[in-house]
Amino acid sequence: MNAAKYIWMNGKFIPWDEAQTHVLSHTLHYGNGVIEGTKAYKTDKGYAIFRLNEHTKRLKESAKMTHIKIPYTIEEMNKAQIELIRKNEFSGESVYIRPFAFLGYGVMGVYHVDAPVETVMAAWEWGAYLGEEGLRRGIRLKIASMTRPSNTSNMGKAKASANYLNSQMAKFEAVESGYDEALLLDDQGYVAEASGACIFMVRDGKIISPPNDNTLESITQKMVIEMAEDMGYEVIRRRISREELYIADEAFLTGTAAEITPVREIDARIIGEGERGPITEKIQSGYFDIVFGRNKKYEHYLTYINA
Ligand code: PPE
């Protein structure tokens, strides 16, 4: 990964290499940690963080769900992220921000509430999540043999570290099988989400994405829906089964890291023409216009770090 200069840890900026934790940290053993993934883009007016407050709020909400008491307010954490981008003096087109909270050292055993809470904001330059070529040509998806954990056994709306074991196993299976990314079904067999992104399909000019019944409440998904409706498309939230995806005209993934990544193949079925579809292309360029500050209408979603 691309190291940066500073990391914000428990209220202070410290050199990147000094942001350390004990090997007996609670989260390393039992997996209760919460993360965010936020992105800053280099606009004409300097770096701007996209939908900062919503990401920070979701971190707080994930922590509430998994019962981690983050001792900082949303405002304090927003400020830390703005300062983090300034202090690190990045130069790339975009910067990924990873705010997170985990349980530190001092308590062993599953009962977690007495473990100390560590709060961290880190940022680094991270290129295209599924590759530059994936953004242009589309990626190949494999439906994983494992499903998303059901709502009776996990909390899919918490962006909790523990949920990423499921994502990791699915991703590993997909990559081992020669695909780029994994798509997970829910425990009822309906399409849920990819290992680290949401999914949309296009059929007969309509844009369709599953409800968040068994997925993260994705901020990029919300952005795409608002933008697509403004462009005049009909957007439908409803359950999708796997065979319907196979015959979609277009499909694409959405996420902070994945941005808008076209899907050209799913389980050896070519989607549409096997390339980035025309509606996908419009959504993708519309999204980049928003995050790079080229669309005034959505500028309220940007927090300029030099403002
Ligand atoms: N579902 C999952 C499981 C997920 O991890 C993400 C984001 C999304 C949906 C999309 O959410 P949003 O970013 O709010 O639109 N995945 C993050 C982590 C990726 C990683 O590998 O790390 C991200 O995109 O930042």
Side-chain angles (χ1 to χ4, degrees):
M1 72 182 299
N2 292 320
K5 291 180 184 152
Y6 300 101
I7 288 179
W8 183 95
M9 192 165 179
N10 299 322
K12 284 200 275 296
F13 286 97
I14 54 175
W16 179 274
D17 290 335
E18 288 172 25
Q20 306 280 354
T21 189
H22 198 282
V23 291
L24 295 179
S25 292
H26 200 276
T27 301
L28 274 178
H29 297 257
Y30 307 111
N32 190 1
V34 289
I35 65 171
E36 255 317 309
T38 311
K39 219 162 160 178
Y41 290 86
K42 200 199 243 169
T43 72
D44 288 345
K45 296 190 255 171
Y47 284 106
I49 305 176
F50 182 58
R51 298 183 82 144
L52 169 64
N53 197 64
E54 277 167 272
H55 279 283
T56 311
K57 184 164 174 272
R58 191 171 64 183
L59 182 73
K60 271 284 216 191
E61 290 170 349
S62 294
K64 186 174 184 182
M65 292 174 199
T66 71
H67 212 288
I68 291 177
K69 290 205 167 95
I70 298 180
Y72 298 97
T73 62
I74 292 173
E75 293 69 34
E76 285 167 331
M77 289 190 283
N78 284 346
K79 222 175 129 230
Q81 290 168 79
I82 294 166
E83 197 55 31
L84 183 70
I85 302 296
R86 277 198 204 125
K87 272 182 97 73
N88 273 299
E89 299 175 317
F90 292 108
S91 59
E93 284 294 285
S94 66
V95 175
Y96 189 79
I97 309 171
R98 170 55 53 80
F100 63 106
F102 67 99
L103 301 171
Y105 169 78
V107 175
M108 272 290 151
V110 170
Y111 187 70
H112 74 286
V113 298
D114 298 326
V117 176
E118 311 273 357
T119 313
V120 186
M121 313 279 148
W124 64 92
E125 290 182 28
W126 194 2
Y129 189 60
L130 292 161
E132 283 297 337
E133 192 182 306
L135 281 178
R136 266 196 323 276
R137 292 192 52 223
I139 55 136
R140 299 173 59 243
L141 263 189
K142 181 188 192 297
I143 296 183
S145 60
M146 223 183 244
T147 65
R148 262 328 207 186
S150 79
N151 286 323
T152 55
S153 60
N154 223 337
M155 292 184 284
K157 283 182 186 53
K159 202 165 164 66
S161 308
N163 290 341
Y164 287 89
L165 177 60
N166 176 261
S167 288
Q168 266 179 56
M169 294 300 105
K171 176 92 185 188
F172 173 75
E173 181 185 326
V175 172
E176 272 302 294
S177 311
Y179 287 82
D180 302 304
E181 172 63 342
L183 184 68
L184 290 110
L185 305 178
D186 66 19
D187 58 320
Q188 304 294 307
Y190 291 97
V191 172
E193 60 185 339
S195 75
C198 283
I199 182 139
F200 284 74
M201 69 170 182
V202 178
R203 282 193 78 186
D204 302 323
K206 297 185 176 80
I207 299 175
I208 307 161
S209 192
N212 296 121
D213 290 349
N214 205 318
T215 71
L216 190 68
E217 288 182 342
S218 156
I219 293 167
T220 317
Q221 184 185 37
K222 211 158 66 170
M223 186 68 254
V224 165
I225 292 168
E226 183 184 344
M227 180 180 60
E229 284 176 342
D230 285 350
M231 286 174 170
Y233 291 108
E234 184 181 345
V235 183
I236 304 165
R237 302 295 300 276
R238 64 161 174 81
R239 295 201 294 195
I240 298 172
S241 59
R242 73 193 298 160
E243 68 273 27
E244 204 186 352
L245 259 189
Y246 293 159
I247 56 162
D249 301 322
E250 299 180 33
F252 57 90
L253 301 180
T254 65
T256 300
E259 296 164 324
I260 313 297
T261 300
V263 174
R264 64 182 160 93
E265 187 183 324
I266 305 174
D267 294 347
R269 278 82 166 179
I270 301 298
I271 303 304
E273 303 296 318
E275 58 187 24
R276 176 172 59 189
I279 294 181
T280 305
E281 194 166 351
K282 269 191 204 148
I283 299 287
Q284 190 186 53
S285 63
Y287 183 76
F288 283 127
D289 282 345
I290 294 174
V291 296
F292 279 106
R294 298 189 291 255
N295 189 334
K296 291 280 163 242
K297 182 170 180 190
Y298 303 102
E299 217 181 1
H300 58 282
Y301 288 133
L302 304 184
T303 302
Y304 289 99
I305 67 151
N306 297 323

